[in-house]
Amino acid sequence: MGYKQFSEVFWMKSVEELKAIREKALKEISIRENEDKTRIVVGMATCGIAAGARPVMNAFIEELEKRNIRNVTVSMTGCIGICRLEPVAEVIEANGQKTTYVKLDAEKARRIVAEHIVNQKPVTEFTIGAAER
């Protein structure tokens, strides 16, 4: 809870105000849950950063901006648990389908945007399945 939200609750004067704040928060949550967005999640724990995850994340962001793609979010997470395959990123589509990409670099990230995000064709040669063969 942010300071503004905390202060709204702390200084409320009536139950009606509390109900209004609750309704506003529920609407915001509902909007976020129903967004039709693909997510790219980059592993940014120390193992990922040491392996080069920072330039990978920057490449995803830059390529999406260059192509003016607004229905994809890029975020970071901690350790995904496959340190030997870092840098790792997961593309999670709005329908929940997840593709895990491993051993990435900036050029591979740009290709993932071009092929997977734009053309809906996962780059299978960069996936965890290909790496494990």
Side-chain angles (χ1 to χ4, degrees), residues 58-71:
N58 290 339
F60 277 122
I61 293 167
E62 291 164 5
E63 193 67 19
L64 291 167
E65 286 177 2
K66 180 176 103 177
R67 293 171 179 269
N68 199 30
I69 297 172
R70 301 284 179 229
N71 65 335

Side-chain angles (χ1 to χ4, degrees), residues 19-128:
K19 287 179 182 177
I21 292 167
R22 180 180 183 273
E23 289 301 314
K24 180 181 171 187
L26 287 172
K27 284 180 186 174
E28 289 175 7
I29 290 169
S30 176
I31 288 169
R32 282 190 298 243
E33 287 177 350
N34 293 325
E35 283 186 278
D36 187 28
K37 287 195 173 190
T38 295
R39 297 182 302 137
I40 299 173
V41 182
V42 181
M44 293 287 287
T46 53
C47 52
I49 293 169
R54 210 172 297 250
V56 169
M57 189 163 95
N58 290 339
F60 277 122
I61 293 167
E62 291 164 5
E63 193 67 19
L64 291 167
E65 286 177 2
K66 180 176 103 177
R67 293 171 179 269
N68 199 30
I69 297 172
R70 301 284 179 229
N71 65 335
V72 177
T73 60
V74 179
S75 62
M76 59 182 123
T77 190
C79 185
I80 295 174
I82 48 176
C83 302
R84 65 188 171 78
L85 300 174
E86 293 285 358
V88 174
E90 295 180 326
V91 174
I92 305 166
E93 308 210 21
N95 66 7
Q97 183 174 341
K98 179 171 68 172
T99 304
T100 303
Y101 290 105
V102 298
K103 298 182 180 180
L104 296 177
D105 58 31
E107 193 54 42
K108 289 177 180 177
R110 288 184 195 88
R111 189 166 157 205
I112 291 166
V113 171
E115 294 182 28
H116 188 149
I117 302 300
V118 173
N119 295 317
Q120 288 87 45
K121 295 185 83 150
V123 187
T124 56
E125 65 197 78
F126 302 158
T127 63
I128 191 167

